[in-house]
Amino acid sequence: MTTVYVPCDSSAVSVGADEVAAALAAVEGVQVLRNGSRGMLWAEPLVEVVTERGRVGYAGVSAEDVPRLVAAGLLTGEDTPECLGVVDEHEWLRSQRRVSFARVGLIEPTDIAAYGEHGGWAGLRRALSLAPADVVAEVTTSGLRGRGGAGFPAGVKWRTVLDAPAGLRFVVCNLDEGDSGTFADRMLCEGDPFTLIEGMVIAAHATGASEGYVYCRSEYPAVVTTLRRAIEVAYAHGYLGERITGSDLSFDLELRVGAGAYICGEETSMLESLEGRRGEVRAKPPIPALHGLFGRPTVINNTLTFAAVPMILADGGAAYAALGTGRSRGTQVFQLAGNIARGGIVEADFGISLGDLVTGYGGGTLSGRPVRAVQVGGPLGAYLPVDRLDVPMDYEALAAAGGMLGHGGIVVFDDTVDMARQARFAMEFCAAESCGKCTPCRVGAVRGVETLDRIIAGVRREDNLLLLEDLCTTMTKGSLCAMGGLTPMPVRSAVQHWPEDFDAPAVHDIPSSGGSGP
Amino acid sequence: MSHGTQTDAAATRAATVRRIAEQHASARGPLMPALHGVVAELGHIDPLDVPVVADVLNLSVAEVHGVVSFYTDFRTRPAPAHTVHLCRAESCQALGSQPLYEDTVRRFAGREDVEVDHVFCFGNCPLGPSGTVDGRLHGRLTPERITRLTQDWQP
């Protein structure tokens, strides 16, 4: 019997992995296992065959290819044009430092025995042997900062919850990964969901929480299915519920699903949504660590923050802190997206340059044309020109370069991109997704679209650029959260780095609002 | 359809909505799961469902209406027979999603059985343009692939 892995990850499935798995399952003597994705999305569907040398990979396999590849010796790992060799030895993977993603793609996602065999639960075992304050101390030592984008030190947040007045506390995982160009939360939870569960159980022990929620966006149905299944399995094996693994810790975990609102990735909107209300942001203070879900002390962290915790507890905070640079410790799960030849997950130490990611791992554009712009950090992140590709990827260096790391998404555009249209889209997106609470965001984004339409149409361009700048200042200073506060970042960066795109002869249809106003 | 049949159908629907809401009533923050339950079982949230949910969960009609109208997924009309939802966010834009979206809108213009809409990100970013066809995610979409995926759809 030959064992063949075909990913069940929804990206792999989106390009035909289910059909490939069915075709291989029909071959005599083949056992097909469905693993998560290795993160080499450029190679999906990536078929891996277990051989004496290791798992040999075949890239971009389609169901129609299967008979030919089997005839060419796929089941014994023979070389073909699609063959990548032993996947673990492939330079693209080997050169990465997989910490949070250590198991993703190796095992079947909800196989709890395989999870344990690959190092799972080691962090939880050590955490349960420590007092809560000592677990918090390990996280503080690790230097772990919030991976959702704000970069707030996780240890400080956990300490605040631990020190809160006694009573009911919650742990909440933000799995509302709405930024375009980000997909790491999705791939982790589709490929290795027990890592998230383990991280949340450790957080519960560290902060005295007894209940937890995962808030997952509805655009990720495969995550909902896989993570719900993993939660069931974890309950059945004593890793959730009463007296976890025989300890004094009891913790219940439930997955809740969003309903198509980007703003619910903002932590206070997410709390409102969990409580059953419109996802409108709350003013801070009070901070959620003290006055969070249902008014109780609440640890809210991003999926990737929790995913880093098991290793930090297993190997010690100092081991994690030894990685990275400056005040950005550990590894970051970068996500290469957009017009890129080799897109996917690159987990590396903080400090790797943007260029190493885009042209090194990414191999430049998919179209083969020159890179013109790279948007880092999602729809609220800056567009950077190619002369900024030397920027080291850490929180402070990116801020100094006029950008932000956000959730680690990197979207590449080739030289056909029109940056005035991208600036307009940033405002259009804000207008569509604003929760409506703050006027500068709710109304400002609509005015931003109108103003950019006039600029694009060539109507009083200099006056309108001035007006746009003024509007950006108002939005930045007058919005409670990052939606209105950071939408100006992509807009301003586009104007700053590509002024020529805002000065081109009018080529687009003049919108109806274009002729009036300032 | 007689008036009596309409009333019966409305009563049956109201009983179903009540049952779904009651299933979630003991949860913390039950409204979102209850509304998801209604959409999953009945396809949409009818304006007449709102007071039933409000009654079971001890909320005001305004609170429930406010939530229904805030979230994209809580559709208030029956779903059409087919859906094409295409990503229009930045990463897919970099791979040509905008012309694909416009082409698809034109292609199904006037078809009441087909809903073409946009979504901001499916998390399939390096394999864009991405979209769902009748709920199933596809990557590397082209007009030709959309033709193949929808060829059996009869108006």
Side-chain angles (χ1 to χ4, degrees), chain A residues 157-248:
Chain A
K157 191 183 280 187
W158 289 24
R159 181 85 230 175
T160 307
V161 177
L162 177 62
D163 292 344
L168 179 66
R169 292 124 193 245
F170 294 101
V171 175
V172 173
C173 172
N174 187 342
L175 182 36
D176 195 43
E177 185 181 48
D179 287 358
S180 175
T182 66
F183 44 88
D185 297 356
R186 180 187 66 68
M187 292 191 65
L188 181 97
C189 294
E190 286 188 30
D192 187 27
F194 294 121
T195 290
L196 171 62
I197 294 172
E198 185 178 351
M200 292 184 75
V201 174
I202 293 169
H205 173 58
T207 61
S210 57
E211 294 182 35
Y213 293 92
V214 178
Y215 186 89
C216 178
R217 63 198 298 257
S218 63
E219 292 83 352
Y220 285 179
V223 171
V224 174
T225 307
T226 305
L227 198 47
R228 283 211 167 122
R229 173 75 190 134
I231 289 171
E232 275 175 28
V233 173
Y235 267 106
H237 285 78
Y239 289 102
L240 285 172
E242 300 285 313
R243 300 186 59 81
I244 286 170
T245 64
S247 70
D248 291 334

Side-chain angles (χ1 to χ4, degrees), chain A residues 137-386:
Chain A
E138 285 286 5
V139 173
T140 305
T141 302
S142 76
L144 178 66
R145 294 168 68 177
R147 295 289 188 260
F152 188 81
V156 174
K157 191 183 280 187
W158 289 24
R159 181 85 230 175
T160 307
V161 177
L162 177 62
D163 292 344
L168 179 66
R169 292 124 193 245
F170 294 101
V171 175
V172 173
C173 172
N174 187 342
L175 182 36
D176 195 43
E177 185 181 48
D179 287 358
S180 175
T182 66
F183 44 88
D185 297 356
R186 180 187 66 68
M187 292 191 65
L188 181 97
C189 294
E190 286 188 30
D192 187 27
F194 294 121
T195 290
L196 171 62
I197 294 172
E198 185 178 351
M200 292 184 75
V201 174
I202 293 169
H205 173 58
T207 61
S210 57
E211 294 182 35
Y213 293 92
V214 178
Y215 186 89
C216 178
R217 63 198 298 257
S218 63
E219 292 83 352
Y220 285 179
V223 171
V224 174
T225 307
T226 305
L227 198 47
R228 283 211 167 122
R229 173 75 190 134
I231 289 171
E232 275 175 28
V233 173
Y235 267 106
H237 285 78
Y239 289 102
L240 285 172
E242 300 285 313
R243 300 186 59 81
I244 286 170
T245 64
S247 70
D248 291 334
L249 175 66
S250 294
F251 180 63
D252 284 307
L253 183 61
E254 184 183 337
L255 185 147
R256 290 285 177 90
V257 184
Y262 173 79
I263 195 61
C264 289
E266 196 283 331
E267 62 177 2
T268 61
S269 294
M270 185 178 64
L271 295 178
E272 290 289 307
S273 187
L274 279 169
E275 292 181 15
R277 286 195 288 273
R278 298 162 64 87
E280 291 180 0
V281 301
R282 298 177 183 171
K284 289 187 277 193
I287 56 170
L290 293 174
H291 191 92
L293 188 61
F294 301 105
R296 302 301 310 169
T298 304
V299 174
I300 307 174
N301 280 131
N302 181 260
T303 308
L304 294 181
T305 314
F306 285 121
V309 168
M311 175 274 182
I312 288 168
L313 266 295
D315 297 350
Y320 195 76
L323 313 175
T325 179
R327 288 174 51 217
S328 304
R329 309 313 309 178
T331 60
Q332 169 69 36
V333 181
F334 297 103
Q335 299 132 79
L336 307 186
N339 193 332
I340 193 156
R342 290 197 298 270
I345 296 287
V346 176
E347 183 170 3
D349 295 1
F350 279 106
I352 187 174
S353 80
L354 180 58
D356 282 347
L357 290 166
V358 170
T359 52
Y361 284 99
T365 63
L366 181 69
S367 62
R369 301 182 67 93
V371 175
R372 184 159 191 241
V374 181
Q375 188 177 29
V376 179
L380 309 176
Y383 287 99
L384 299 174
V386 282

Side-chain angles (χ1 to χ4, degrees), chain B residues 14-38:
Chain B
T16 305
V17 172
R18 181 168 292 277
R19 172 178 53 76
I20 295 167
E22 282 170 349
Q23 283 167 1
H24 297 279
S26 63
R28 294 190 197 275
L31 183 53
M32 297 282 286
L35 293 175
H36 272 303
V38 173

